[in-house]
Amino acid sequence: MALVSDDDRETNDIGIVVTRGVSFSGLLELGAKLVKLHRFQGQVRDMFTRLSADSKVAMESRNHLLHGAWTTPGKGPASASRVKAKGTVDRTFTVAQVEDVAYDLAVLADQLFMLFLVIEGAVDYEE
């Protein structure tokens, strides 16, 4: 949203219209284009690039957990199958791995919010 417009009075309204209904991967793609278009250098570009890559990995695990077809294990970790364009992907998840996914998503949400605050100029933050 902060990347859509430089005018604080219109940023929320325009950002909502532009991003409504866009998939997570679509939002990352749009964000990358806007970061490049706004010619952000240094920290903003570096943070966005790193957080985008980390977010893709975390969201893939999240999507597998939420959208996979789960099997009931006899013993050991549960398994989830997810059908994708390139075929079916099976993954096992221990309880600790599920907790790790939740933790990674929470940390990334905080980091993305910090990036938003940096872009908005609300905080002076250096990594």
Side-chain angles (χ1 to χ4, degrees), residues 42-61:
Q43 179 172 270
V44 169
R45 180 171 283 184
D46 293 347
M47 284 178 70
F48 185 86
T49 301
R50 180 180 50 79
L51 293 174
S52 292
D54 293 348
S55 296
K56 284 179 187 178
V57 172
M59 286 299 285
E60 180 59 34
S61 294

Side-chain angles (χ1 to χ4, degrees), residues 16 22 27 77 87 118:
I16 289 167
V22 178
L27 289 173
V118 169

Side-chain angles (χ1 to χ4, degrees), residues 106-125:
V107 169
L108 284 164
D110 287 345
Q111 291 173 331
L112 286 166
F113 186 66
M114 178 60 70
L115 177 59
F116 166 76
L117 293 174
V118 169
I119 292 167
E120 283 285 296
V123 296
D124 187 26
Y125 172 79

